[in-house]
Amino acid sequence: MAKICLCMTANTLGRNLEILEKYRKYADMAELRADCLDPDERLLIRRFPEQAGMPVILTIRRDIDGGHFVGGEGARISLMARGLAYAEADRRRNFAYVDIEEDLNISSLEEAARTFGTRIIRSYHNMKGTDADLPVKIRSMRRSGDEIVKVAVMANSTRDVLELLCAGKECEGQEKILVSMGHFGIYSRILSEQFGSFLSYCGALSEPDAFSAAPGQVEVRELANLYRFRNITKATKVYGVTGYPLKATSSPSFFNTVFELEESNAVYVPFPADSITDLMEISKELNVEGLSVTVPYKEAIIPFLDFQSDEVRVIGACNTLTLTPQGWLGTNTDARGFSDSLLTFLNKPNFKRQRVTVIGAGGAARSVVFELHRLGAKVLILNRTVHKARRLAAPYKFAWGGLDEQGIEKMEKYRDIIIQTTSAGMEGINPDNVSSDPTAMYNFCGREEVMDLVYKPKMTAFLKRASNAGCNVQNGYDMLIRQARYQYTQFTGKEFPEHFFSRVQFGEI
Ligand code: ATR
């Protein structure tokens, strides 16, 4: 089973030991990054394995490989020799592994390591990109049978991650460590078993003086507790969420908590993707069984479906993919998540006799309008780009308009409920967006029921204004959870375990 390796990047050995003590139960081994140590401390590395009390990798990373060692090669090699010198008969007192770059040819170091049972990790780093000839590289790097090949390459795209994954598969059976660095490669650090990696490097990233030893590292507790890394085997069912840029997502927290409570052998990971085509290839290689699909792929995913629900066909957007014996089934849980949430908020069984304004005409609005129509509402759709409002309204014979004076006037007759579906007001887009309110020209009378699909921040400028005018308001958080419960059922074929609901976490909302 793949191991969790905690990278020790503090500037003193004492501080590294303190950190190791605090996180000991989450780690199987440690990597002493001696290049991060103060110069005086580097002289004392030899005793670290004994003090650490777990297998330790000695690494002295050069700056060209993303490390901090800026001295000459001579100084670096003598430091490495210092780490391997005076080997003890009790192997636990020696470094268990030493990281030697593939272009370093110092046979005396290697001999010393082998004589005393220190295994060699033969490493290659590319901090800029992913090499084209990875399978050849992986095969040729190993100089003797007991070496572990490490290839850590920067993923600038989803295709890069796919290259690494396929290269790993070509070299199955060989002990190796494969890492796609950076945001695109985050799941290569969680699904080490699937990538054929012997370990995953992670960091004590919540410590103020510890930093990520390489781009994209996962925090050690998150790897051990949230993703239950140690339980992941080739038999583990893999699920995930894809989107772009997918910088922050609360879905892994939700699904992994439920899987843990249910004792399911399953994991749910983020799949940031700049190409949905490449991501679907990766899904195939990793035997992914279910995908949540988010911005901007809810429409682009449709050509990849083997069959789809009626909602997907009519709405033209899909947020849930489930692998079935007949291929990918596409469904849309946003629609039901939305109507369940709003009807519960209103304490109504349907939207009959309700006159509703929908702000926006994008993908989210399409699910909302579909449900409003299904459940009997009369609807006005207002959008910044008017022709999109008209196009969305036409099949339902709903009213439409622009987000201008004329459009806002029409709201007079459609204001039992107002639903904001655009990304205006959402955090994480640009600093100005948070203060934006697409209905700024509209004066709330205080009797409207108001919903914003945005849930970060909890109160958008739009919701604040409505609330100050005396309206009942609701954000999109409850909808998010409800659609995720439907996804759970879709993925697993099981009802969502409601008795666990109070214990399920949805990230830092
Ligand atoms: P989603 O799937 O989240 O709905 P989308 O399909 O890209 O995303 O649609 C975005 C919606 O938000 C559109 O209705 C867009 O209006 P335009 O069609 O005029 O682009 C709307 N939108 C985004 N930012 C907006 C803003 N600052 N003010 C008003 N509308 C905005």
Side-chain angles (χ1 to χ4, degrees):
M1 201 172 299
K3 298 190 184 328
I4 296 184
C5 179
L6 181 61
C7 297
M8 314 302 321
T9 56
N11 65 338
T12 68
L13 292 164
R15 179 67 184 128
N16 276 327
L17 289 170
E18 225 174 88
I19 294 174
L20 191 56
E21 218 38 68
K22 186 165 167 189
Y23 296 93
R24 178 174 295 279
K25 69 174 177 194
Y26 308 111
D28 304 305
M29 54 198 286
E31 179 190 45
L32 178 64
R33 282 284 301 269
D35 53 301
C36 299
L37 292 170
D38 289 342
D40 290 353
E41 293 280 319
R42 289 176 183 167
L43 305 176
L44 307 171
I45 56 175
R46 182 60 194 87
R47 287 194 54 213
F48 190 77
E50 184 183 355
Q51 293 164 331
M54 65 166 71
V56 182
I57 304 172
L58 172 62
T59 299
I60 311 169
R61 191 70 70 227
R62 304 176 289 209
D63 53 350
I64 51 158
D65 291 329
H68 294 261
F69 199 90
V70 287
E73 269 305 80
R76 199 170 72 98
I77 290 156
S78 32
L79 185 55
M80 227 181 265
R82 184 182 284 271
L84 300 175
Y86 319 115
E88 306 249 5
D90 180 353
R91 286 186 175 187
R92 284 170 305 181
R93 294 178 166 184
N94 301 332
F95 281 99
Y97 305 87
V98 59
D99 184 307
I100 301 182
E101 293 81 2
E102 54 130 20
D103 58 352
L104 193 66
N105 293 304
I106 310 287
S107 50
S108 56
L109 268 185
E110 295 173 16
E111 265 162 45
R114 284 200 186 94
T115 310
F116 297 102
T118 300
R119 290 188 69 188
I120 293 171
I121 296 177
R122 186 76 60 184
S123 67
Y124 171 72
H125 297 81
N126 182 343
M127 303 306 293
K128 293 208 169 80
T130 297
D131 309 65
D133 57 346
L134 283 179
V136 179
K137 183 141 216 110
I138 295 173
R139 269 195 227 102
S140 62
M141 274 168 64
R142 201 156 66 147
R143 296 186 196 166
S144 74
D146 62 345
E147 290 187 5
I148 300 168
V149 165
K150 174 189 175 188
V151 170
V153 286
M154 181 60 76
N156 294 315
S157 64
T158 304
R159 171 112 310 225
D160 283 349
V161 188
L162 181 61
E163 297 282 343
L164 185 79
L165 177 60
C166 293
K169 288 205 163 183
E170 276 190 44
C171 305
E172 215 154 348
Q174 182 175 332
E175 227 173 356
K176 58 195 175 303
I177 303 164
L178 300 179
V179 189
S180 264
M181 290 186 287
H183 180 56
F184 283 119
I186 180 157
Y187 47 97
S188 74
R189 297 180 179 276
I190 302 167
L191 302 175
S192 299
E193 279 288 322
Q194 283 70 9
F195 274 75
S197 272
F198 162 72
L199 61 77
S200 178
Y201 294 98
C202 61
L205 303 180
S206 48
E207 292 300 313
D209 54 341
F211 53 87
S212 181
Q217 268 193 1
V218 181
E219 201 271 336
V220 58
R221 277 175 306 194
E222 199 171 304
L223 196 61
N225 286 350
L226 175 65
Y227 294 107
R228 292 183 297 144
F229 182 88
R230 288 174 172 138
N231 293 2
I232 302 176
T233 64
K234 289 219 165 56
T236 302
K237 287 178 189 288
V238 179
Y239 301 92
V241 53
T242 189
Y244 182 82
L246 202 73
K247 286 277 185 221
T249 166
S250 29
S251 301
S253 171
F254 175 86
F255 282 101
N256 287 317
T257 316
V258 188
F259 288 152
E260 182 177 6
L261 291 169
E262 287 271 85
E263 296 179 17
S264 303
N265 185 9
V267 65
Y268 184 102
V269 301
F271 288 113
D274 65 339
S275 152
I276 194 67
T277 308
D278 293 339
L279 197 274
M280 292 312 285
E281 271 194 60
I282 286 185
S283 301
K284 196 168 159 205
E285 293 293 334
L286 289 173
N287 299 320
V288 172
E289 303 207 10
L291 271 178
S292 308
V293 180
T294 184
V295 179
Y297 298 128
K298 289 184 185 182
E299 287 138 62
I301 197 73
I302 290 177
F304 296 91
L305 302 178
D306 295 294
F307 56 117
Q308 55 191 260
S309 68
D310 291 344
E311 276 99 336
V312 170
R313 197 167 304 112
V314 177
I315 297 168
C318 166
N319 76 330
T320 311
L321 260 66
T322 315
L323 193 63
T324 71
Q326 292 77 41
W328 286 113
L329 163 66
T331 50
N332 184 318
T333 66
D334 285 335
R336 291 292 165 110
F338 156 73
S339 53
D340 281 8
S341 174
L342 184 54
L343 289 172
T344 307
F345 171 65
L346 300 173
N347 195 22
K348 289 194 188 319
N350 56 48
F351 297 118
K352 282 190 182 133
R353 286 183 299 282
Q354 298 297 308
R355 302 188 67 91
V356 184
T357 297
V358 173
I359 310 295
R366 288 214 299 273
S367 296
V368 165
V369 170
F370 174 86
E371 283 298 274
L372 290 171
H373 175 261
R374 189 175 68 84
L375 294 161
K378 294 266 179 297
V379 178
L380 163 69
I381 302 166
L382 297 183
N383 194 46
R384 186 174 58 181
T385 313
V386 188
H387 71 86
K388 287 197 206 160
R390 188 179 60 210
R391 206 167 55 208
L392 176 55
Y396 302 104
K397 300 198 169 44
F398 284 159
W400 52 273
L403 278 171
D404 47 25
E405 221 167 303
Q406 272 178 312
I408 297 291
E409 264 176 36
K410 290 184 187 169
M411 288 177 73
E412 290 289 322
K413 291 197 182 130
Y414 292 88
R415 57 176 179 179
D416 296 326
I417 305 168
I418 301 177
I419 304 160
Q420 201 297 110
T421 72
T422 79
S423 49
M426 193 187 287
E427 272 174 23
I429 294 183
N430 63 50
D432 292 343
N433 191 61
V434 184
S435 56
S436 108
D437 173 355
T439 63
M441 281 186 286
Y442 175 74
N443 289 315
F444 290 97
C445 71
R447 288 190 299 277
E448 302 91 335
E449 306 281 354
V450 181
M451 180 171 183
D452 195 328
L453 265 45
V454 174
Y455 54 88
K456 243 180 183 178
K458 284 182 184 151
M459 288 284 265
T460 55
F462 163 79
L463 272 196
K464 263 187 219 152
R465 215 160 53 77
S467 175
N468 289 342
C471 305
N472 292 323
V473 300
Q474 150 130 308
N475 69 21
Y477 180 62
D478 181 61
M479 168 180 165
L480 175 77
I481 295 176
R482 287 175 190 275
Q483 69 76 24
R485 281 166 162 152
Y486 280 125
Q487 276 190 338
Y488 178 85
T489 301
Q490 198 66 49
F491 288 158
T492 62
K494 293 193 279 190
E495 286 297 312
F496 181 80
E498 294 296 337
H499 54 287
F500 284 142
F501 188 68
S502 61
R503 293 165 67 190
V504 172
Q505 304 180 354
F506 223 101
E508 20 65 76
I509 299 289

